[in-house]
Amino acid sequence: MIRNPASKETARKPNMREAILAAAEELFATNGFNAVSVRDIAQAAGANPGSVTYHFKTKDGLLLEIYRRHCGPMNLRRSELLAAAKRVRDLQDRLEAVVRAYVVPAFTSGSDLAGGAARFTRLRAVMSAEGNEVARKIIAQTFDDTSHAFIDAVHESLPHVPRTDIVWRSHFLLGALYYSLVTPDRVSRLSRGEADGSDAASAIEQLVQATVAAFQAPALDQAPARRRPVVSSET
């Protein structure tokens, strides 16, 4: 059964197109893409199904527009900060600036005005976990260019680390970014209140410093030899 999380904010929107976008974003973030129908979206937005197809043609087109409205401002800001970071001459300082250029816009981009960074990040995490082919293509179309630019910039700062290692560590950064935005309360709980997980400035600094240290770790083929754990075939 689809949970309908339509908010009073959605109900107040005079622009039907925006109401549909807001309802779809919340439903996709809550239930996933596959489980949500055009009829569910229309009901949550206070519209009829014909309005959804009129504005967006298909459910795929609706998801693409959600990504565009959030990621356009975020990717633009990342590109601007990355261009500035690449002009830093000291490689250590440059690496930190490059990582910051990737992290900061996820917390502070103009996408906040379109529904909140945390909600959209939750949607992205759900889409990635769901493994839907439509979502996979939209994610690649939206993020691959900026991701390649970020990875290349890190590699220029750490030329001795293989690019494949940097790709893995960038992958881990994305997971940490998702988790930091979606479940900030966990930080507050596990620190017994000594840290505020919703403090964006602290989250950014912790994430930047941890990621810089991870990128600077020895390359996998240069790390001291360790005994590989025996992986059992039993579950």
Side-chain angles (χ1 to χ4, degrees):
M1 180 179 178
I2 296 296
R3 287 185 288 157
N4 184 345
S7 63
K8 293 181 179 179
E9 176 189 0
T10 298
R12 288 198 301 267
K13 286 181 179 290
N15 186 311
M16 184 54 67
R17 187 175 189 276
E18 288 299 311
I20 292 168
L21 279 169
E25 183 180 325
E26 187 66 35
L27 284 169
F28 291 154
T30 304
N31 302 292
F33 183 78
N34 294 331
V36 176
S37 68
V38 168
R39 186 174 296 278
D40 294 327
I41 295 166
Q43 183 178 4
N48 61 68
S51 295
V52 178
T53 55
Y54 171 78
H55 287 290
F56 303 101
K57 306 299 183 186
T58 64
K59 192 173 73 164
D60 299 359
L62 182 50
L63 182 63
L64 176 60
E65 183 58 27
I66 290 171
Y67 269 81
R68 281 176 174 166
R69 73 170 183 163
H70 281 285
C71 300
M74 183 162 60
N75 285 339
L76 178 60
R77 185 58 179 151
R78 276 179 173 160
S79 296
E80 293 171 346
L81 291 175
L82 189 59
K86 291 172 71 174
R87 293 194 291 269
V88 177
R89 300 187 67 177
D90 181 83
L91 291 183
Q92 170 70 26
D93 292 342
R94 185 194 303 173
L95 176 61
E96 181 172 330
V98 167
V99 173
R100 195 176 297 279
Y102 187 86
V103 170
V104 168
F107 286 87
T108 62
S109 74
S111 65
D112 293 349
L113 301 177
R119 184 174 71 184
F120 179 62
T121 301
R122 186 171 72 247
L123 182 149
R124 289 173 59 192
V126 169
M127 294 299 103
S128 297
E130 197 172 46
N132 180 276
E133 184 60 29
V134 171
R136 186 179 294 112
K137 289 179 179 178
I138 289 174
I139 291 168
Q141 178 182 337
T142 304
F143 289 110
D144 277 7
D145 287 346
T146 52
S147 294
H148 279 300
F150 170 68
I151 291 166
D152 290 343
V154 173
H155 195 204
E156 290 170 7
S157 301
L158 296 168
H160 60 285
V161 178
R163 193 176 187 277
T164 52
D165 285 22
I166 292 172
V167 169
W168 273 111
R169 295 168 193 185
S170 299
H171 193 61
F172 302 149
L173 165 60
L174 185 58
L177 190 57
Y178 280 162
Y179 213 63
S180 298
L181 285 166
V182 174
T183 59
D185 56 296
R186 194 166 190 270
V187 171
S188 303
R189 186 176 70 253
L190 292 181
S191 67
R192 295 189 174 93
E194 293 184 12
D196 180 4
S198 63
D199 182 344
S202 294
I204 289 169
E205 290 306 315
Q206 291 283 358
L207 196 50
V208 167
Q209 297 306 318
T211 302
V212 167
F215 278 134
Q216 290 177 321
L220 196 60
D221 61 359
Q222 298 170 357
R226 293 185 178 88
R227 182 178 178 182
R228 293 182 178 274
V230 177
V231 180
S232 171
S233 59
E234 298 179 2
T235 56

